[in-house]
Amino acid sequence: MKKLNRRDFIKVAGTTAAVSALGFPVIGNAASKKVVIVGGGTGGATCAKYIRMADASVEVTLIEPNKNYYTCYMSNEVLSGRRDINSIKFGYDGLASHGVKVVHDTVTGIDAAGRKVMTKGGDTFSYDRCVVAPGISFRDNIAGYNDAAHDKMPHAWKAGDQTSLLRKQLEGMADGGTVLIAPPPNPFRCPPGPYERACQIASYLQAKKPKSKVLILDAKDKFSKFGLFKQAFSRHYPDHIEWVAAKDTGGGVKSVDVGAGTVKTGDGNTHKGDVTNIIPAQKAGKIAEIAGLTNDSGWCPVEHKTFESTIHKGIHVIGDAAIQKPLPKSGYAANSEAKVTAAAVVDLVNGREPGEPSWVNTCYSIVAPEDGISVAMVYNLVDGKVAKVKGSGGLTSKDSPAGDRAREVQYAYSWFNNITHDAFGG
Amino acid sequence: MPAKKSHAMLMGSVLLLGSSQLMAAPSASMLANTCAGCHGTNGVSTGPAAPTIAGKSAEYIKEVMEYYKDGSRHSTIMGRIAKGYSDEEVALMADYYAKQKFVSAAPKQKLDADKIKAGKKVYKKNCAKCHDENGRLPDDDSGILGGQWLPYLQYTMQDYRDGRQEMTKKMKKKVDKLDDAQIEAVLQFFASQD
């Protein structure tokens, strides 16, 4: 007798019964295939494109306020002057060429029961499935760091104008100055980002303003790729980077005085930065909160198999905003989650149950012009949750030779070119 | 599962075990799409260094992934990633990418016309017998060399010459008598193929 596979089982049991018994998400009306995607960053753009690539009969509308997206990844090379801001800028013509309807507007609300998305421009978009990819917003964990303060002490954690502003401040700083970086507490977008940033800025200072230095006042005692970054700090920037753990300052930066150009740490000490980069604590992007997709943590709980919200059925949340641990809040993870979700959405709007997911994360940090480091991991679904595949992944070896480190820089550039083309390219 | 058990019994046990026991493995496209972040959409890399994997033979991809897994092929990152997949999953990805269209990187690379010319001679004398059609064919036992990204070809050849991975006896005999300039020339020749 032949083995009973899943498809046979569905046939035998009957679609309706199987769906409810196995707890699959609601199977949509197969005749209607409208998907609205909220947010055009790496996750949203990838998802839109991959839905269209898998099934061109699905109508995909992507709503994004900005005409261009600036990637947070590689923006640290803009700060060091190794890269132009235009090289991290991506438009939406590529998606349009895949038949994605791109609407530049701001989403003001999502009616989960009525399956409708409302915009500032006064339009309403109905959907069978909605994908929300809102990125991050900031928490008020640092006193005095209000919107006006962003212009004086840029966060540069949403790339674009903020990146250019921080670069301009670095260029304008006199030699002998201190660049103060305040990394956020966990969890946050791009865990190795603040430390790669420190390396990139230090590399610029070393070459152009050698009497200056970077002072990192961390809100944590440990961070991503810790050993490799500590190695990079001492190997490349012994006189140009000083990292101070949270335990030595009473928890890092607690308040800022924009007028005086100073910050105060938890132990009551004041530090002066000639350029100050404050990266606040984070939560899911604003629209996620407005749409009621967040829980008490400020992030969005999702079923990992399909990234469908556990709060509102029919809405999927991907990228930095989702609670996707052990997947990190990285560009690669957002791209990978977007593809899993795209496949699930295509299955669901066609009345099929979603297939088994698979994810990868690969994250490079360029710590010196010829020194790249990486972390990678393969993930699968175990008991409904994302899990690391045992034996896979891990970090660049601390002992890896210079030649391999130089290759990792070239692979980092390849990663950047390929992932941005994968998300935004025609 | 003993063959005698009926559908009904199986269904019962399946429901008790819960949905995860029923799940099929990830599909070929689900697995393969995870590679695109570094190797490009459908395996066509936009460079500058990560190789295009589209159109390579399934046999070659399976073999190389096996070598990455057991460490007999040197890598910066692929060893770590290859260990995340079973042989069955690798086979699915290999078949998927073998079916994708290879797109030459030649037009996007800055190459040296003199070296390409010199490389052609080196190629004809030493490489053409096995890597025929200017290395442009997806042979079972070798990747597509023609139209590949130059840094990737350089890294791989360097690893062969440094003994970090093994060449076939036939290839070693040829490579050992070539000097650095000849090697660079022939790699440029391969990279220049449309």
Side-chain angles (χ1 to χ4, degrees):
Chain A
M1 187 179 117
K2 110 179 167 43
K3 264 191 186 171
L4 184 72
N5 66 25
R6 182 172 42 85
R7 211 167 290 279
D8 292 336
F9 170 73
I10 298 294
K11 261 189 251 159
V12 170
T15 308
T16 316
V19 165
S20 58
L22 299 175
F24 290 121
V26 178
I27 303 282
N29 173 5
S32 178
K33 301 180 188 174
K34 271 190 199 164
V35 176
V36 173
I37 296 181
V38 180
T42 301
T46 304
C47 193
K49 178 169 158 180
Y50 270 75
I51 289 173
R52 294 286 305 169
M53 278 166 57
D55 184 350
S57 74
V58 181
E59 193 183 305
V60 179
T61 305
L62 183 142
I63 309 174
E64 158 64 41
N66 299 308
K67 291 274 163 70
N68 293 295
Y69 180 75
Y70 292 85
T71 61
C72 200
Y73 41 91
M74 283 297 170
S75 68
N76 288 329
E77 278 208 340
V78 177
L79 299 178
S80 63
R82 198 157 284 119
R83 178 179 283 275
D84 187 85
I85 187 81
N86 288 316
S87 73
I88 60 165
K89 172 179 156 183
F90 298 90
Y92 295 94
D93 290 349
L95 292 184
S97 77
H98 282 278
V100 176
K101 288 182 189 165
V102 180
V103 175
H104 292 295
D105 202 343
T106 302
V107 173
T108 50
I110 303 173
D111 173 2
R115 301 201 168 215
K116 285 195 283 272
V117 170
M118 288 75 74
T119 68
K120 200 173 165 183
D123 286 326
T124 299
F125 298 85
S126 65
Y127 64 79
D128 298 291
R129 290 270 151 193
C130 180
V131 179
V132 180
I136 51 145
S137 59
F138 297 124
R139 293 177 193 267
D140 298 325
N141 67 317
I142 295 176
Y145 195 66
N146 51 27
D147 284 355
H150 294 186
D151 298 336
K152 302 288 178 203
M153 297 178 169
H155 52 76
W157 218 241
K158 294 178 186 179
D161 291 345
Q162 279 278 309
T163 314
S164 299
L165 175 62
L166 184 53
R167 170 63 187 163
K168 212 173 133 196
Q169 290 186 351
L170 291 167
E171 285 179 302
M173 188 182 81
D175 193 7
T178 297
V179 179
L180 206 151
I181 300 178
N186 291 323
F188 65 101
R189 157 183 285 179
C190 191
Y195 314 97
E196 184 199 53
R197 172 171 291 181
C199 291
Q200 286 287 334
I201 292 175
S203 137
Y204 164 72
L205 298 179
Q206 214 169 38
K208 305 282 185 186
K209 294 166 187 179
K211 283 180 250 158
S212 314
K213 68 175 239 183
V214 175
L215 174 63
I216 309 170
L217 297 173
D218 212 326
K220 305 177 291 304
D221 292 329
K222 226 187 151 199
F223 52 85
S224 168
K225 301 177 185 165
F226 189 67
L228 287 164
F229 274 114
K230 297 279 276 182
Q231 179 190 55
F233 294 170
S234 61
R235 181 186 275 177
H236 302 296
Y237 314 107
D239 302 322
H240 291 96
I241 293 181
E242 185 188 350
W243 175 74
V244 186
K247 62 177 164 58
D248 297 324
T249 62
V253 173
K254 298 295 182 191
S255 67
V256 298
D257 182 337
V258 174
T262 57
V263 306
K264 202 178 254 187
T265 43
D267 55 12
N269 287 329
T270 299
H271 305 260
K272 171 126 180 82
D274 296 283
V275 171
T276 302
N277 170 215
I278 300 290
I279 309 169
Q282 293 157 33
K283 56 185 178 177
K286 202 170 149 194
I287 186 62
E289 209 172 321
I290 294 170
L293 293 162
T294 53
N295 65 16
D296 290 346
S297 72
W299 305 95
C300 304
V302 292
E303 296 282 357
H304 284 168
K305 190 182 176 197
T306 60
F307 275 69
E308 184 170 17
S309 166
T310 56
I311 300 173
H312 290 306
K313 293 291 160 200
I315 303 177
H316 304 250
V317 184
I318 59 172
D320 295 340
I323 300 173
Q324 75 285 67
K325 234 177 148 185
L327 278 161
K329 297 192 186 301
S330 73
Y332 204 111
N335 174 267
S336 195
E337 291 159 22
K339 290 172 189 175
V340 164
T341 303
V345 163
V346 167
D347 280 335
L348 288 165
V349 297
N350 283 294
R352 300 187 297 258
E353 90 224 26
E356 193 74 355
S358 175
W359 303 267
V360 164
N361 178 59
T362 297
C363 162
Y364 287 98
S365 302
I366 301 175
V367 299
E370 296 287 311
D371 190 349
I373 56 177
S374 59
V375 64
M377 186 60 67
V378 180
Y379 304 86
N380 60 3
L381 192 75
V382 177
D383 295 331
K385 298 273 177 206
V386 178
K388 296 177 179 179
V389 174
K390 275 193 192 123
S392 78
L395 296 157
T396 299
S397 163
K398 267 175 106 172
D399 304 323
S400 70
D404 281 7
R405 294 294 185 94
R407 287 184 193 183
E408 292 223 57
V409 173
Q410 294 309 310
Y411 287 140
Y413 293 147
S414 303
W415 163 84
F416 176 73
N417 291 342
N418 280 313
I419 201 167
T420 53
H421 182 266
D422 197 41
F424 299 98
Chain B
M1 182 70 62
K4 278 179 192 164
K5 286 209 171 175
S6 71
H7 272 200
M9 283 174 74
L10 178 57
M11 267 176 57
S13 64
V14 147
L15 286 173
L16 284 174
L17 287 167
S19 60
S20 68
Q21 304 294 322
L22 259 179
M23 287 304 145
S27 67
S29 62
M30 174 63 74
L31 291 163
N33 285 341
T34 63
C35 312
C38 292
H39 289 284
T41 309
N42 295 327
V44 178
S45 174
T46 55
T52 285
I53 54 176
K56 290 186 177 183
S57 80
E59 278 312 305
Y60 171 77
I61 296 174
K62 282 188 275 189
E63 193 177 280
V64 165
M65 287 290 276
E66 187 61 42
Y67 294 163
Y68 280 136
K69 258 192 219 182
D70 69 19
S72 55
R73 186 176 167 106
H74 177 73
S75 70
T76 52
I77 200 165
M78 276 310 299
R80 288 178 261 161
I81 291 170
K83 289 190 187 91
Y85 299 102
S86 66
D87 292 348
E88 292 75 20
E89 288 171 328
V90 168
L92 283 172
M93 289 189 272
D95 287 339
Y96 182 91
Y97 278 114
K99 285 183 202 139
Q100 306 303 312
K101 193 170 174 275
F102 181 88
V103 178
S104 171
K108 291 185 178 171
Q109 305 198 74
K110 249 196 188 158
L111 301 168
D112 183 321
D114 291 340
K115 286 182 183 166
I116 294 168
K117 212 173 141 193
K120 191 172 183 177
K121 282 186 196 152
V122 180
Y123 166 77
K124 283 198 165 163
K125 200 170 166 213
N126 300 282
C127 322
K129 224 169 139 186
C130 297
H131 299 284
D132 49 352
E133 301 281 337
N134 298 342
R136 198 56 184 73
L137 289 184
D139 295 325
D140 280 351
D141 56 353
S142 79
I144 299 175
L145 306 181
Q148 192 53 270
W149 290 96
L150 180 61
Y152 171 72
L153 295 173
Q154 290 167 330
Y155 300 159
T156 309
M157 184 53 93
Q158 193 186 330
D159 290 341
Y160 278 133
R161 295 176 85 200
D162 291 351
R164 289 168 117 182
Q165 61 201 38
E166 218 180 324
M167 284 183 265
T168 60
K169 270 187 194 156
K170 257 195 294 187
M171 180 166 156
K172 189 167 167 27
K173 231 170 111 186
K174 301 279 188 189
V175 168
D176 280 354
K177 53 177 204 193
L178 298 174
D179 62 25
D180 291 353
Q182 286 172 308
I183 292 282
E184 174 62 14
V186 79
L187 297 182
Q188 291 249 352
F189 169 75
F190 280 128
S192 74
Q193 298 306 306
D194 285 333

